[in-house]
Coordinates of all heavy atoms in Angstrom, one line a residue:
M169 N 54.7 119.5 67.5 CA 53.9 119.3 66.3 C 52.4 119.0 66.7 O 52.2 118.2 67.7 CB 54.4 118.2 65.4 CG 53.7 118.1 64.2 SD 54.5 116.7 63.1 CE 53.7 117.1 61.6
K170 N 51.5 119.5 66.0 CA 50.1 119.3 66.3 C 49.6 118.4 65.2 O 50.1 118.3 64.0 CB 49.2 120.6 66.3 CG 49.6 121.6 67.4 CD 49.2 121.0 68.7 CE 49.6 122.1 69.8 NZ 49.3 121.6 71.1
F171 N 48.5 117.7 65.5 CA 47.9 116.7 64.5 C 46.4 117.0 64.5 O 45.9 117.4 65.5 CB 48.1 115.3 65.0 CG 49.5 114.9 65.2 CD1 50.2 115.0 66.3 CD2 50.2 114.4 64.0 CE1 51.6 114.7 66.5 CE2 51.6 114.0 64.1 CZ 52.3 114.3 65.3
I172 N 46.0 117.0 63.2 CA 44.6 117.5 63.0 C 43.7 116.4 62.4 O 44.0 115.6 61.5 CB 44.7 118.6 62.0 CG1 45.6 119.8 62.6 CG2 43.4 119.2 61.6 CD1 46.0 120.7 61.6
T173 N 42.5 116.4 62.9 CA 41.3 115.6 62.3 C 40.5 116.7 61.6 O 40.1 117.7 62.3 CB 40.5 114.8 63.3 OG1 41.4 113.9 64.0 CG2 39.4 114.1 62.7
Y174 N 40.1 116.4 60.4 CA 39.3 117.5 59.6 C 38.2 116.9 58.9 O 38.1 115.6 58.5 CB 40.2 118.3 58.7 CG 41.0 117.5 57.7 CD1 40.4 117.2 56.5 CD2 42.2 116.9 58.0 CE1 41.1 116.5 55.5 CE2 42.8 116.0 57.1 CZ 42.3 115.9 55.8 OH 42.9 115.1 54.9
I175 N 37.2 117.8 58.5 CA 36.1 117.3 57.7 C 36.0 118.3 56.5 O 36.1 119.6 56.7 CB 34.8 117.3 58.4 CG1 34.8 116.3 59.5 CG2 33.6 116.9 57.4 CD1 33.6 116.3 60.4
L176 N 36.1 117.8 55.3 CA 35.9 118.6 54.1 C 34.5 118.4 53.5 O 34.0 117.3 53.7 CB 37.0 118.3 53.1 CG 38.5 118.4 53.5 CD1 39.4 118.0 52.4 CD2 38.8 119.8 53.9
Y177 N 34.1 119.4 52.7 CA 32.8 119.2 52.0 C 33.0 119.6 50.5 O 33.5 120.6 50.2 CB 31.7 120.1 52.7 CG 30.4 119.9 51.9 CD1 29.5 118.8 52.0 CD2 29.9 121.0 51.1 CE1 28.3 118.7 51.3 CE2 28.8 121.0 50.4 CZ 28.0 119.8 50.5 OH 26.8 119.7 49.8
S178 N 32.4 118.8 49.6 CA 32.3 119.2 48.2 C 31.0 119.3 47.9 O 30.1 118.5 47.9 CB 32.9 118.0 47.3 OG 32.6 118.1 46.0
A179 N 30.5 120.6 47.3 CA 29.2 120.9 46.9 C 29.0 120.2 45.6 O 27.8 119.8 45.4 CB 29.1 122.5 46.7
T180 N 30.0 120.0 44.8 CA 29.9 119.2 43.5 C 29.3 117.8 43.7 O 28.4 117.4 43.1 CB 31.1 119.2 42.7 OG1 31.5 120.6 42.4 CG2 31.0 118.5 41.4
L181 N 30.0 117.2 44.7 CA 29.7 115.9 44.9 C 28.6 115.6 46.0 O 28.0 114.6 46.2 CB 30.9 115.1 45.4 CG 32.0 114.9 44.4 CD1 33.2 114.2 45.2 CD2 31.6 114.1 43.2
N182 N 28.3 116.8 46.7 CA 27.5 116.8 47.9 C 27.8 115.6 48.9 O 27.1 114.9 49.4 CB 25.9 116.6 47.5 CG 25.0 116.8 48.6 OD1 25.4 117.5 49.6 ND2 23.9 116.2 48.6
K183 N 29.2 115.7 49.2 CA 29.8 114.6 50.1 C 30.7 115.3 51.1 O 31.3 116.3 50.8 CB 30.4 113.5 49.3 CG 29.4 112.7 48.5 CD 30.1 111.4 48.0 CE 29.2 110.6 47.1 NZ 28.1 109.9 47.8
F184 N 30.9 114.6 52.2 CA 31.9 114.9 53.2 C 33.2 114.0 53.0 O 33.0 112.8 52.6 CB 31.4 114.8 54.6 CG 30.4 115.8 54.9 CD1 29.0 115.4 54.9 CD2 30.8 117.1 55.2 CE1 28.1 116.4 55.2 CE2 29.8 118.1 55.5 CZ 28.4 117.7 55.5
Y185 N 34.2 114.5 53.5 CA 35.5 113.6 53.5 C 36.1 113.9 54.8 O 36.3 115.0 55.3 CB 36.5 114.0 52.4 CG 37.9 113.3 52.5 CD1 38.0 112.1 52.0 CD2 38.9 113.9 53.3 CE1 39.1 111.3 52.2 CE2 40.1 113.1 53.4 CZ 40.2 111.9 52.9 OH 41.4 111.2 53.0
I186 N 36.4 112.8 55.6 CA 37.0 112.9 56.9 C 38.4 112.4 56.8 O 38.7 111.4 56.2 CB 36.3 112.1 57.9 CG1 34.8 112.6 58.1 CG2 36.9 112.2 59.2 CD1 33.8 111.9 57.4
G187 N 39.4 113.2 57.4 CA 40.8 112.8 57.3 C 41.5 113.3 58.6 O 41.0 114.0 59.4
S188 N 42.8 112.9 58.6 CA 43.7 113.4 59.6 C 45.0 113.7 59.0 O 45.4 113.0 58.1 CB 43.7 112.5 60.9 OG 44.2 111.3 60.4
T189 N 45.8 114.6 59.7 CA 47.1 115.0 59.1 C 48.0 115.6 60.1 O 47.5 116.0 61.2 CB 47.0 116.0 57.9 OG1 48.3 116.2 57.4 CG2 46.3 117.2 58.3
G190 N 49.2 115.5 59.9 CA 50.2 116.1 60.7 C 50.8 117.3 59.9 O 51.5 118.1 60.4
D191 N 50.4 117.4 58.7 CA 50.9 118.5 57.8 C 50.1 119.8 58.1 O 49.2 119.8 58.8 CB 50.5 118.1 56.3 CG 51.2 116.8 55.9 OD1 52.3 116.5 56.4 OD2 50.6 116.2 55.0
E192 N 50.6 120.9 57.5 CA 49.9 122.1 57.5 C 48.5 121.9 56.9 O 48.5 121.4 55.7 CB 50.7 123.1 56.7 CG 50.0 124.5 56.6 CD 49.8 125.2 57.8 OE1 50.6 125.1 58.8 OE2 48.7 125.8 57.9
I193 N 47.5 122.2 57.4 CA 46.1 121.9 57.0 C 45.8 122.7 55.6 O 45.2 122.0 54.6 CB 45.0 122.3 57.9 CG1 43.6 121.8 57.5 CG2 44.9 123.8 58.2 CD1 43.4 120.2 57.5
D194 N 46.3 123.7 55.3 CA 46.1 124.5 54.0 C 46.8 123.8 52.9 O 46.2 123.5 51.9 CB 46.7 125.9 54.1 CG 45.9 126.8 55.0 OD1 44.7 126.5 55.2 OD2 46.4 127.7 55.5
E195 N 48.0 123.2 53.2 CA 48.7 122.3 52.2 C 47.9 121.1 51.9 O 47.9 120.6 50.7 CB 50.0 122.1 52.5 CG 51.1 123.2 52.5 CD 51.0 123.9 51.2 OE1 51.3 123.0 50.2 OE2 51.0 125.0 51.0
R196 N 47.4 120.5 53.0 CA 46.5 119.3 52.7 C 45.4 119.4 51.9 O 44.9 118.6 51.1 CB 46.2 118.7 54.2 CG 45.6 117.4 54.2 CD 46.7 116.2 53.8 NE 46.1 114.9 53.7 CZ 46.2 114.2 52.7 NH1 46.9 114.6 51.6 NH2 45.6 113.0 52.5
I197 N 44.6 120.6 52.1 CA 43.5 120.9 51.3 C 43.8 121.1 49.9 O 43.2 120.7 49.0 CB 42.7 122.1 52.0 CG1 42.1 121.8 53.3 CG2 41.6 122.5 51.0 CD1 41.7 122.9 54.1
K198 N 45.0 121.7 49.7 CA 45.5 121.9 48.3 C 45.7 120.6 47.6 O 45.4 120.4 46.4 CB 46.8 122.8 48.2 CG 46.6 124.3 48.4 CD 48.0 124.9 48.4 CE 47.8 126.4 48.8 NZ 49.1 127.0 48.9
K199 N 46.2 119.6 48.3 CA 46.4 118.3 47.7 C 45.1 117.6 47.5 O 44.9 117.0 46.4 CB 47.2 117.4 48.7 CG 48.6 117.8 48.8 CD 49.4 116.9 49.8 CE 50.8 117.3 50.1 NZ 51.5 116.6 51.1
H200 N 44.1 117.8 48.3 CA 42.8 117.3 48.1 C 42.1 117.8 46.9 O 41.4 117.1 46.1 CB 41.9 117.4 49.2 CG 42.1 116.4 50.4 ND1 41.9 115.1 50.2 CD2 42.5 116.7 51.7 CE1 42.2 114.5 51.5 NE2 42.5 115.4 52.3
N201 N 42.4 119.1 46.6 CA 41.8 119.8 45.5 C 42.5 119.7 44.2 O 42.2 120.2 43.2 CB 41.6 121.4 45.9 CG 40.3 121.5 46.7 OD1 39.4 120.9 46.5 ND2 40.5 122.4 47.7
S202 N 43.7 119.1 44.3 CA 44.5 118.8 43.0 C 43.9 117.7 42.2 O 43.1 116.9 42.7 CB 45.9 118.6 43.4 OG 46.0 117.3 44.0
N203 N 44.3 117.6 41.0 CA 43.8 116.4 40.1 C 44.6 115.2 40.3 O 45.6 115.1 39.7 CB 43.8 117.0 38.7 CG 43.1 116.1 37.7 OD1 42.4 115.2 38.2 ND2 43.4 116.2 36.5
H204 N 44.1 114.4 41.2 CA 44.8 113.1 41.5 C 43.8 112.0 41.5 O 42.6 112.3 41.6 CB 45.6 113.2 42.8 CG 44.6 113.4 44.0 ND1 44.0 114.6 44.4 CD2 44.1 112.4 44.9 CE1 43.3 114.3 45.5 NE2 43.3 113.1 45.7
K205 N 44.3 110.8 41.5 CA 43.3 109.7 41.7 C 42.9 109.6 43.1 O 43.6 109.9 44.0 CB 44.0 108.4 41.3 CG 44.3 108.3 39.8 CD 44.8 106.9 39.4 CE 45.1 106.8 37.8 NZ 45.4 105.5 37.4
G206 N 41.7 109.0 43.3 CA 41.3 108.9 44.7 C 39.9 109.6 44.9 O 39.4 110.3 44.1
F207 N 39.3 109.4 46.1 CA 38.0 109.9 46.4 C 37.9 111.5 46.2 O 37.0 111.9 45.6 CB 37.8 109.6 47.8 CG 36.3 110.0 48.2 CD1 35.2 109.3 47.8 CD2 36.1 111.2 49.0 CE1 33.9 109.7 48.1 CE2 34.9 111.5 49.4 CZ 33.7 110.8 49.0
T208 N 38.9 112.3 46.6 CA 38.8 113.6 46.5 C 39.4 114.3 45.2 O 39.2 115.5 45.0 CB 39.6 114.3 47.6 OG1 41.0 113.9 47.7 CG2 39.0 113.9 48.9
G209 N 40.0 113.5 44.4 CA 40.7 114.0 43.2 C 39.7 114.4 42.2 O 38.6 113.8 42.0
G210 N 40.1 115.3 41.3 CA 39.3 115.8 40.1 C 38.1 116.7 40.4 O 37.5 117.1 39.4
V211 N 37.8 116.9 41.5 CA 36.6 117.9 41.9 C 37.0 119.3 42.1 O 36.6 120.2 41.3 CB 35.8 117.4 43.1 CG1 34.6 118.2 43.3 CG2 35.4 115.9 43.0
G212 N 38.0 119.5 43.0 CA 38.6 120.8 43.1 C 37.8 121.9 44.0 O 38.1 123.1 44.0
D213 N 36.6 121.4 44.6 CA 35.9 122.4 45.4 C 35.8 121.9 46.9 O 34.8 122.4 47.6 CB 34.6 122.6 44.8 CG 33.5 121.4 45.0 OD1 34.0 120.2 45.1 OD2 32.4 121.7 44.9
W214 N 36.7 121.2 47.4 CA 36.7 120.8 48.8 C 36.9 122.0 49.7 O 37.9 122.7 49.5 CB 37.7 119.7 49.0 CG 37.4 118.4 48.3 CD1 37.9 117.9 47.1 CD2 36.4 117.4 48.7 NE1 37.3 116.8 46.8 CE2 36.4 116.4 47.7 CE3 35.5 117.4 49.8 CZ2 35.6 115.3 47.8 CZ3 34.7 116.2 49.9 CH2 34.7 115.3 48.9
K215 N 36.0 122.1 50.7 CA 36.2 123.2 51.6 C 36.2 122.7 53.0 O 35.5 121.7 53.4 CB 34.9 124.2 51.5 CG 34.6 124.8 50.1 CD 35.5 125.9 49.9 CE 35.1 126.5 48.6 NZ 36.2 126.8 47.7
L216 N 37.0 123.3 53.8 CA 37.2 122.9 55.2 C 35.9 123.3 56.0 O 35.5 124.5 56.0 CB 38.4 123.5 55.9 CG 38.8 123.1 57.3 CD1 39.2 121.6 57.4 CD2 39.9 124.0 57.7
K217 N 35.3 122.3 56.7 CA 34.1 122.5 57.5 C 34.3 122.3 58.9 O 33.5 122.9 59.7 CB 33.0 121.7 56.9 CG 32.5 121.9 55.5 CD 31.9 123.3 55.6 CE 30.9 123.5 54.5 NZ 30.2 124.9 54.7
H218 N 35.3 121.6 59.3 CA 35.5 121.3 60.8 C 36.9 120.8 61.0 O 37.5 120.2 60.1 CB 34.5 120.1 61.2 CG 34.7 119.7 62.7 ND1 34.1 120.6 63.6 CD2 35.2 118.7 63.1 CE1 34.3 119.9 64.8 NE2 35.0 118.9 64.7
I219 N 37.4 121.3 62.2 CA 38.8 120.9 62.4 C 38.9 120.6 64.0 O 38.2 121.2 64.8 CB 39.8 122.0 62.1 CG1 41.3 121.5 62.2 CG2 39.5 123.2 62.8 CD1 42.2 122.5 61.6
E220 N 39.7 119.6 64.4 CA 40.1 119.3 65.8 C 41.5 119.1 65.8 O 42.1 118.3 65.1 CB 39.2 118.1 66.3 CG 37.7 118.2 66.2 CD 37.0 117.0 66.7 OE1 37.6 116.1 67.4 OE2 35.8 116.9 66.4
V221 N 42.2 119.7 66.8 CA 43.6 119.6 67.0 C 44.0 118.8 68.2 O 43.3 118.9 69.2 CB 44.1 121.0 67.1 CG1 45.6 121.1 67.3 CG2 43.8 121.9 65.9
F222 N 45.0 118.0 68.0 CA 45.4 116.9 69.0 C 47.0 117.2 69.2 O 47.7 117.5 68.2 CB 45.1 115.6 68.6 CG 43.6 115.3 68.5 CD1 42.9 115.5 67.2 CD2 42.9 114.9 69.5 CE1 41.6 115.4 67.1 CE2 41.5 114.7 69.4 CZ 40.9 114.9 68.2
D223 N 47.4 116.8 70.3 CA 48.9 116.8 70.6 C 49.5 115.4 70.2 O 50.7 115.4 69.9 CB 49.2 117.1 72.0 CG 48.8 118.4 72.4 OD1 49.0 119.4 71.7 OD2 48.3 118.6 73.6
I224 N 48.7 114.4 70.1 CA 49.3 113.0 69.8 C 48.6 112.5 68.6 O 47.4 112.6 68.4 CB 49.0 112.2 71.1 CG1 49.5 112.7 72.3 CG2 49.3 110.7 70.7 CD1 49.0 112.1 73.6
K225 N 49.4 112.0 67.6 CA 49.0 111.5 66.4 C 47.8 110.5 66.6 O 46.9 110.5 65.8 CB 50.1 111.0 65.6 CG 49.9 110.5 64.2 CD 51.0 110.0 63.5 CE 50.7 109.6 62.2 NZ 52.0 109.1 61.3
S226 N 48.0 109.5 67.4 CA 47.1 108.4 67.6 C 45.7 108.9 67.9 O 44.7 108.4 67.6 CB 47.6 107.4 68.6 OG 47.8 107.9 69.8
D227 N 45.7 110.1 68.8 CA 44.3 110.6 69.1 C 43.7 111.2 67.9 O 42.5 111.0 67.7 CB 44.5 111.7 70.1 CG 45.0 111.2 71.5 OD1 44.9 109.9 71.8 OD2 45.4 112.0 72.3
A228 N 44.5 111.8 66.9 CA 43.9 112.3 65.7 C 43.3 111.2 64.9 O 42.1 111.3 64.3 CB 44.8 113.1 65.0
I229 N 44.0 110.2 64.8 CA 43.6 109.0 64.0 C 42.4 108.4 64.6 O 41.4 108.0 63.9 CB 44.8 108.0 63.8 CG1 45.9 108.7 62.9 CG2 44.3 106.8 63.1 CD1 47.2 107.9 62.9
K230 N 42.4 108.2 65.8 CA 41.3 107.6 66.6 C 40.0 108.5 66.3 O 38.9 107.8 66.1 CB 41.6 107.6 68.1 CG 40.5 106.7 68.8 CD 40.7 106.7 70.4 CE 42.0 106.8 70.9 NZ 42.1 106.7 72.4
R231 N 40.1 109.8 66.5 CA 38.9 110.5 66.2 C 38.4 110.5 64.8 O 37.3 110.4 64.6 CB 39.3 112.1 66.5 CG 38.1 113.0 66.4 CD 37.0 112.7 67.3 NE 36.0 113.8 67.4 CZ 34.8 113.7 67.5 NH1 34.3 112.5 67.8 NH2 34.0 114.8 67.5
E232 N 39.4 110.4 63.8 CA 39.0 110.3 62.4 C 38.2 109.0 62.2 O 37.1 109.0 61.6 CB 40.3 110.2 61.6 CG 40.0 109.9 60.1 CD 41.2 109.6 59.3 OE1 42.3 109.6 59.8 OE2 41.0 109.2 58.0
K233 N 38.7 107.8 62.9 CA 38.0 106.6 62.6 C 36.6 106.6 63.4 O 35.7 106.1 62.9 CB 38.9 105.5 63.4 CG 40.1 105.2 62.4 CD 40.9 104.1 63.0 CE 42.1 103.8 62.1 NZ 43.0 102.7 62.7
Q234 N 36.5 107.3 64.5 CA 35.3 107.4 65.2 C 34.3 108.1 64.4 O 33.1 107.6 64.2 CB 35.5 108.2 66.6 CG 34.2 108.4 67.3 CD 34.4 109.2 68.5 OE1 35.2 110.3 68.4 NE2 33.8 108.9 69.7
I235 N 34.6 109.2 63.8 CA 33.7 110.0 62.9 C 33.3 109.1 61.7 O 32.1 109.1 61.3 CB 34.2 111.3 62.5 CG1 34.5 112.3 63.8 CG2 33.3 112.0 61.5 CD1 35.3 113.5 63.4
K236 N 34.2 108.4 61.0 CA 33.9 107.7 60.0 C 33.1 106.5 60.3 O 32.2 106.1 59.5 CB 35.3 107.1 59.3 CG 36.0 108.2 58.4 CD 37.4 107.5 58.0 CE 38.0 108.5 57.1 NZ 39.3 108.0 56.4
N237 N 33.3 105.9 61.5 CA 32.3 104.8 61.9 C 30.9 105.1 62.2 O 30.1 104.3 62.2 CB 33.0 104.1 63.2 CG 34.2 103.3 62.7 OD1 34.4 102.8 61.6 ND2 35.0 103.1 63.7
W238 N 30.7 106.5 62.3 CA 29.3 106.9 62.5 C 28.4 106.5 61.3 O 27.4 106.2 61.4 CB 29.2 108.4 62.8 CG 29.8 109.0 64.1 CD1 30.1 108.2 65.2 CD2 30.1 110.2 64.4 NE1 30.5 109.1 66.1 CE2 30.5 110.3 65.6 CE3 29.9 111.4 63.6 CZ2 30.9 111.5 66.3 CZ3 30.3 112.7 64.2 CH2 30.7 112.7 65.5
K239 N 29.1 106.7 60.1 CA 28.4 106.4 58.9 C 27.0 107.1 58.9 O 26.0 106.6 58.3 CB 28.2 104.9 58.6 CG 29.4 104.1 58.6 CD 29.2 102.7 58.2 CE 30.4 101.7 58.3 NZ 31.5 102.2 57.9
S240 N 27.0 108.4 59.4 CA 25.9 109.1 59.5 C 26.1 110.6 59.1 O 26.8 111.3 59.7 CB 25.4 109.1 60.9 OG 24.3 110.1 61.1
R241 N 25.5 111.0 58.0 CA 25.7 112.3 57.4 C 25.0 113.3 58.5 O 25.5 114.3 58.8 CB 24.9 112.5 56.1 CG 25.0 113.8 55.5 CD 24.3 113.9 54.2 NE 24.5 115.3 53.5 CZ 25.4 115.4 52.6 NH1 26.0 114.4 52.1 NH2 25.5 116.6 52.1
V242 N 23.9 112.9 59.1 CA 23.3 113.7 60.1 C 24.2 114.0 61.3 O 24.3 115.1 61.7 CB 21.9 113.2 60.6 CG1 21.3 113.8 61.8 CG2 21.0 112.9 59.4
M243 N 24.9 113.0 61.8 CA 25.8 113.3 62.9 C 27.0 114.2 62.6 O 27.4 115.0 63.3 CB 26.3 111.9 63.5 CG 25.1 111.2 64.3 SD 25.7 109.6 65.0 CE 26.8 110.2 66.2
I244 N 27.4 114.0 61.3 CA 28.6 114.8 60.9 C 28.1 116.3 60.7 O 28.7 117.2 61.1 CB 29.1 114.2 59.5 CG1 29.8 112.9 59.7 CG2 30.0 115.3 58.9 CD1 30.2 112.3 58.4
E245 N 26.9 116.5 60.1 CA 26.4 117.8 60.0 C 26.1 118.4 61.4 O 26.3 119.6 61.6 CB 25.0 117.8 59.1 CG 25.3 117.5 57.7 CD 24.1 117.3 56.9 OE1 23.0 117.0 57.4 OE2 24.2 117.3 55.6
K246 N 25.6 117.7 62.4 CA 25.5 118.2 63.7 C 26.8 118.6 64.4 O 26.9 119.6 65.1 CB 24.8 117.1 64.6 CG 23.3 117.0 64.4 CD 22.7 116.0 65.4 CE 21.2 116.0 65.2 NZ 20.6 114.9 66.1
L247 N 27.8 117.7 64.1 CA 29.2 118.1 64.6 C 29.7 119.4 64.0 O 30.2 120.3 64.7 CB 30.2 117.0 64.3 CG 31.6 117.3 64.7 CD1 31.8 117.4 66.2 CD2 32.5 116.0 64.2
I248 N 29.5 119.6 62.7 CA 29.9 120.9 62.0 C 29.2 122.0 62.5 O 29.7 123.0 62.9 CB 29.8 120.7 60.5 CG1 30.8 119.6 60.0 CG2 30.0 122.0 59.8 CD1 30.5 119.1 58.6
A249 N 27.8 121.8 62.7 CA 27.0 122.9 63.2 C 27.3 123.3 64.6 O 27.3 124.5 65.0 CB 25.5 122.6 63.2
S250 N 27.8 122.4 65.4 CA 28.1 122.7 66.9 C 29.5 123.4 66.9 O 29.7 124.1 67.8 CB 28.2 121.4 67.7 OG 29.4 120.7 67.4
S251 N 30.3 123.4 65.9 CA 31.6 124.0 65.9 C 31.5 125.3 65.2 O 32.5 126.0 65.2 CB 32.6 123.0 65.4 OG 32.5 122.9 64.0
E252 N 30.5 125.6 64.5 CA 30.4 126.9 63.8 C 30.0 128.0 64.7 O 29.2 127.8 65.7 CB 29.3 126.8 62.6 CG 29.8 125.9 61.4 CD 28.8 125.8 60.4 OE1 27.6 126.1 60.6 OE2 29.2 125.3 59.3
H253 N 30.6 129.1 64.5 CA 30.3 130.3 65.3 C 29.5 131.3 64.5 O 29.8 131.7 63.5 CB 31.5 131.1 65.8 CG 32.5 130.1 66.5 ND1 32.2 129.7 67.8 CD2 33.6 129.4 66.2 CE1 33.2 128.9 68.3 NE2 34.0 128.7 67.2
P254 N 28.3 131.8 65.1 CA 27.5 132.8 64.4 C 28.3 134.1 64.2 O 29.1 134.4 65.0 CB 26.3 133.0 65.3 CG 26.6 132.3 66.5 CD 27.8 131.4 66.3
D255 N 28.0 134.8 63.0 CA 28.7 136.0 62.8 C 28.1 137.1 63.6 O 27.0 137.1 64.1 CB 28.5 136.3 61.3 CG 29.4 135.4 60.4 OD1 30.4 134.8 60.9 OD2 28.9 135.2 59.3

């Protein structure tokens, strides 16, 4: 099983969400886009912007916490830009 750290972006909120999961990433995004209580609930336009895959759950959680601790939109945007591939 693989573990994933991911970054989502909502254009409606103009905000990023950082999370980690052992689930299938597509199913996890569907849950974020569903109408539920919580930070991601009720918006429905969360898009996957960045993904990192780990073999060990604790590594994915550690990376999630590291990115959240940056508390910097600029650093998050740089990380996303560095992982995007030009067409």
Side-chain angles (χ1 to χ4, degrees):
M169 180 175 199
K170 297 291 182 183
F171 300 92
I172 300 166
T173 299
Y174 59 92
I175 300 175
L176 305 179
Y177 176 75
S178 166
T180 301
L181 297 176
N182 190 26
K183 293 197 180 283
F184 291 101
Y185 175 85
I186 298 104
S188 60
T189 185
D191 298 333
E192 174 63 38
I193 190 68
D194 294 332
E195 289 301 314
R196 190 73 184 121
I197 294 169
K198 284 180 188 176
K199 288 178 186 176
H200 283 298
N201 281 319
S202 68
N203 191 13
H204 69 279
K205 290 186 179 188
F207 183 78
T208 61
V211 180
D213 72 338
W214 293 99
K215 303 282 187 224
L216 184 63
K217 291 300 203 172
H218 181 75
I219 188 170
E220 296 179 18
V221 180
F222 300 89
D223 291 323
I224 301 167
K225 182 178 181 177
S226 62
D227 290 345
I229 293 168
K230 186 187 327 183
R231 181 64 168 151
E232 174 190 357
K233 289 179 181 179
Q234 179 186 39
I235 296 168
K236 286 180 175 179
N237 284 335
W238 290 346
K239 299 186 189 320
S240 170
R241 183 182 185 99
V242 172
M243 287 182 69
I244 292 169
E245 288 172 344
K246 283 183 181 179
L247 176 63
I248 291 167
S250 73
S251 67
E252 291 178 345
H253 302 286
D255 294 331

